[in-house]
Amino acid sequence: MPPPADIVKVAIEWPGANAQLIEMDQKRPLSSIIREVCDGWSLSGSEQFALRYADGPQLYITEQSRGEIKNGTILRLAISPARAARQLLERIQSHGIDARLEALKELAKLSADPTFAAEFINMEGIGTLARLVESGTHFGEMLAFTLTAFLELMDHGIVSWDLISLSFIKQIAGYVNQPMVDVSILQRSLAILESMVLNSHSLYHRVAQEITVGQLIGHLQVSNQEIQTYAIALINALFLKAPEDRRQVSEMASTLAQKHLRSIILNHVIRGNRPIKAEMAHQLYVLQVLTFNLLEERMMTKMDPNDQAQRDIIFELRRIAFDGENDPTGTEKRKAMYSKDYKMLGFTNHVNPAMDFTQTPPGMLALDNMLYLAKVHQDTYIRIVLENSSREDKHECPFGRCAIELTRMLCEILQVGELPNEGCNDYHPMFFTHDRAWEEFFCVCIQLLNKTWKEMRATAEDFNKVMQVVREQITRALAMKPSSLDQLKNKLRGLNYSEILRLRQSERMSQDDFQSPPIIELRERIQPEILELIKQQRLNRLCEGSCFRKLGNRRRQEKFWFCRLSLNHKVLHYGDLDESPQGEVPFELLSDKIPVSDIKSVVTGKDCPHMKEKSALKQNKEVLELAFSVLYDPDETLNFVAPNKYEYCIWTDGMCALLGREMGSDLTRSDLDTLISMEMKLRLLDLENITIPEAPPPVPKEPSSYNFTYNYS
């Protein structure tokens, strides 16, 4: 009878004593259980003790957390959190260096426990640790443990970070700015500064005055990835919490856009000789998101049709495409043809194309992308525009409309303007390889769109379909994590329209067969029927019987014997024959029999008694793969060598079913899937009088495995 659900069996340790094995009743008060444990070791003052886990985090057991205790857990009797906090605080304030170091080391471990942390903080422990740091008299291990304990205690959120003094901030920032400082101290100092920035608006300004991004760049060039991670995390925090002030945003933008910072991250972090850990990947993702979020202002800015400076950008796009070199008389000469040019450029509004940029997103960001393409990749821009202007009207790819919609799509794919997701580490190395990565990414994608349009032989009515294909091409290529823009181009070449169609068809078939809810439900419903049908088919074949040859020392003297199962499945009949029979052999001609109830097991391959010696000979490998034996009482065997693999499967599977083994435990997955899929398709079509043709003989994976063949009579 299983123990009650409220009873948990645990072991409790105490230094210098044998462990107590108790059944902890979760309905009893924890204080009562502790008192009983203390009595077992003759310890007085049970209120001064508590239970905590012996392994892993130093977590005290409380009335709220006791439900997490599992059977077999090892606990430890320890002094209570309040008593431990008081003792550690006294030892930290002592004058003995060794005693203080040991106390800080233990405090660093216990501070992760919320129960202990609350007690220690209530005794003004945070202020004590802060004063130790501010004094500047602690170095090495002592300082590292002090900072660790401080950070752990603050992370519980019991006290506000706003209480931190300016002198404490200056001291921590000093450790970060020092050229030579212990790694453990630097790690904790960076982490403390990051927490200050993230948890206090007022502390952001103080930290920003002491630490700049330029000062953190040096920490990105070290070989320690932990230091690099903390440094990037602090850069992200400073950027994320920067006030929404145009000047400060502009300063942060220029800092992040510095080629120096980007190249250091690329060469020393992404292309370093160490694999990127999960936390580093997350921080790179956050940095990537924050960098792209600098585009949000332009993305949400509508174009002012009356702003001449903005309209001049559109004039410049037209001039580069159609006027070539700047012609001072070109403006007047071609003014009457502007509407035609804007139509050839693919704008929706031919008269006033500025109206195409009044929708946000993508707003002015689309115009910025188009201008970058026209100026930096002028040949590509002119080729795309002129190539489409020379096509038939119904097949031309409208550059302006495509560029605007593509910009909106890229903003959605890269989540421009959204905050980073906690726990996500989906960064793309290629965006760290170019100073204008966003614009270059757009240039690659606009060429892809033009190419896909031609492959699809699209017309204006197919615009949305083309954009769907292009989105799929881009997302699939990004999922491959190209390390550079050139690699991205190569990935996109392989994802042409024909390949997208093939992938869609393959995934659709896979989804139809295995993931569609109705198909899954039907599959689960008919699988037992299929397995039972297989079992009955096997037994029917055993009732028909099969002919086997006897193995002799000389093959010219080989004889045959026949074996079949009785119709009631209770007796196995067998007997010798002079020659191979042509059809069924009557039961009367089979003189020997074995009751099925006497059969103990079926063995195959080298486990067969008649294969023990022969299995070592290379020439008998084929025979070994076809051999199986029936073991029955009292210690007798009936040895078989099947004529082919088909008969081998029929008999081994049939004997498995006869002995009551679970059908399907050793089924070949693909064979079963094929059969079930065939049955499902017929049922889904609501066909009657189903006839499934006989499957070809299967090839077993190993001689000792059971492979099921499907045969419907």
Side-chain angles (χ1 to χ4, degrees), residues 486-527:
D486 287 337
Q487 279 198 15
L488 174 67
K489 295 176 184 177
N490 292 332
K491 302 294 184 186
L492 291 173
R493 288 192 196 101
L495 289 170
N496 54 33
Y497 179 54
S498 299
E499 178 64 11
I500 292 296
L501 289 180
R502 188 192 68 79
L503 291 171
R504 283 180 175 180
Q505 179 67 16
S506 175
E507 292 170 359
R508 188 180 299 116
M509 292 180 64
S510 175
Q511 183 176 8
D512 289 344
D513 285 345
F514 300 107
Q515 298 177 16
S516 176
I519 299 298
I520 293 174
E521 181 181 354
L522 180 57
R523 177 189 180 87
E524 293 175 350
R525 185 179 302 174
I526 69 174
Q527 182 163 330

Side-chain angles (χ1 to χ4, degrees), residues 409-428:
M409 179 197 299
L410 297 183
C411 289
E412 292 174 358
I413 292 174
L414 297 177
Q415 301 177 335
V416 175
E418 298 184 17
L419 290 175
N421 294 324
E422 190 65 34
C424 182
N425 56 7
D426 188 24
Y427 81 99
H428 297 282

Side-chain angles (χ1 to χ4, degrees), residues 189-312:
S189 298
L190 289 168
I192 290 173
L193 291 174
E194 179 198 2
S195 294
M196 288 180 184
V197 172
L198 292 177
N199 291 285
S200 172
H201 178 73
S202 61
L203 289 185
Y204 164 81
H205 297 283
R206 297 181 181 179
V207 174
Q209 290 174 357
E210 302 294 332
I211 297 291
T212 65
V213 174
Q215 292 170 317
L216 295 173
I217 288 180
H219 297 307
L220 300 177
Q221 303 178 61
V222 300
S223 59
N224 188 315
Q225 190 173 122
E226 296 295 326
I227 296 295
Q228 294 175 326
T229 303
Y230 283 116
I232 295 180
L234 182 52
I235 292 174
N236 289 336
L238 289 169
F239 187 22
L240 189 63
K241 293 299 180 178
E244 295 183 0
D245 176 84
R246 181 177 296 274
R247 182 184 60 81
Q248 291 205 349
V249 170
S250 177
E251 289 178 359
M252 291 300 298
S254 61
T255 301
L256 288 179
Q258 287 179 5
K259 182 176 181 180
H260 188 47
L261 174 61
R262 179 193 60 76
S263 61
I264 286 176
I265 292 176
L266 178 65
N267 296 323
H268 292 273
V269 179
I270 297 176
R271 293 179 178 174
N273 295 324
R274 302 168 306 282
I276 300 295
K277 296 180 181 179
E279 182 57 29
M280 172 61 84
H282 173 68
Q283 295 301 334
L284 290 173
Y285 154 77
V286 173
L287 182 61
Q288 171 186 291
V289 171
L290 296 177
T291 304
F292 283 143
N293 281 355
L294 296 173
L295 304 169
E296 183 180 12
E297 182 182 359
R298 294 293 286 175
M299 179 182 75
M300 301 306 295
T301 300
K302 296 181 179 180
M303 187 172 187
D304 183 0
N306 299 319
D307 189 325
Q308 187 60 43
Q310 295 180 0
R311 295 177 63 184
D312 286 344

Side-chain angles (χ1 to χ4, degrees), residues 458-694:
T459 61
E461 290 77 15
D462 300 320
F463 183 84
N464 291 332
K465 294 180 181 178
V466 175
M467 297 307 297
Q468 290 174 4
V469 173
V470 171
R471 175 185 283 269
E472 189 170 345
Q473 290 172 313
I474 294 171
T475 53
R476 286 182 182 274
L478 288 177
M480 300 177 190
K481 299 292 183 183
S483 60
S484 65
L485 290 167
D486 287 337
Q487 279 198 15
L488 174 67
K489 295 176 184 177
N490 292 332
K491 302 294 184 186
L492 291 173
R493 288 192 196 101
L495 289 170
N496 54 33
Y497 179 54
S498 299
E499 178 64 11
I500 292 296
L501 289 180
R502 188 192 68 79
L503 291 171
R504 283 180 175 180
Q505 179 67 16
S506 175
E507 292 170 359
R508 188 180 299 116
M509 292 180 64
S510 175
Q511 183 176 8
D512 289 344
D513 285 345
F514 300 107
Q515 298 177 16
S516 176
I519 299 298
I520 293 174
E521 181 181 354
L522 180 57
R523 177 189 180 87
E524 293 175 350
R525 185 179 302 174
I526 69 174
Q527 182 163 330
E529 302 176 24
I530 294 290
L531 294 175
E532 182 61 28
L533 191 57
I534 295 170
K535 177 179 178 180
Q536 293 303 321
Q537 184 265 346
R538 292 295 187 273
L539 295 176
N540 291 341
R541 284 287 288 110
L542 263 62
C543 290
E544 295 174 6
S546 297
C547 181
F548 303 92
R549 60 184 176 87
K550 284 189 173 183
L551 281 184
N553 291 331
R554 290 176 293 179
R555 296 182 65 86
R556 68 181 67 179
Q557 294 181 352
E558 68 181 1
K559 293 186 177 181
F560 300 92
W561 64 287
F562 198 88
C563 185
R564 63 182 298 192
L565 181 65
S566 63
L567 298 180
N568 61 6
H569 300 172
K570 293 185 179 296
V571 180
L572 204 59
H573 296 265
Y574 65 97
D576 294 339
L577 300 175
D578 292 333
E579 58 183 16
S580 180
Q582 304 297 320
E584 278 190 15
V585 176
F587 289 108
E588 295 78 12
L589 298 180
L590 304 176
S591 56
D592 300 310
K593 60 184 179 180
I594 302 173
V596 172
S597 59
D598 290 344
I599 298 177
K600 296 187 291 186
S601 63
V602 177
V603 295
T604 61
K606 62 182 179 180
D607 296 327
C608 298
H610 61 309
M611 292 289 113
K612 293 293 185 181
E613 296 180 0
K614 297 179 181 296
S615 61
L617 302 177
K618 188 175 182 180
Q619 60 267 30
N620 288 303
K621 181 179 179 181
E622 181 180 353
V623 175
L624 182 67
E625 293 178 350
L626 300 175
F628 62 98
S629 298
V630 173
L631 309 183
Y632 62 97
D633 290 331
D635 298 328
E636 299 290 338
T637 62
L638 185 63
N639 298 319
F640 297 75
V641 175
N644 52 53
K645 292 179 180 178
Y646 180 69
E647 290 293 329
Y648 171 87
C649 292
I650 288 291
W651 276 84
T652 53
D653 296 348
M655 294 303 298
C656 175
L658 189 63
L659 296 178
R661 293 188 180 182
E662 183 68 25
M663 292 295 294
S665 59
D666 294 301
L667 282 174
T668 302
R669 184 77 259 170
S670 59
D671 291 346
L672 182 60
D673 286 342
T674 300
L675 184 64
I676 292 179
S677 297
M678 187 184 303
E679 177 81 359
M680 283 164 51
K681 289 173 183 176
L682 292 173
R683 291 198 182 201
L684 290 172
L685 291 172
D686 197 25
L687 298 178
E688 296 181 354
N689 301 320
I690 299 174
T691 302
I692 301 180
E694 178 176 327

Side-chain angles (χ1 to χ4, degrees), residues 11 77 148 179 297 431 577:
L77 185 67
T148 301
E297 182 182 359
F431 291 128
L577 300 175

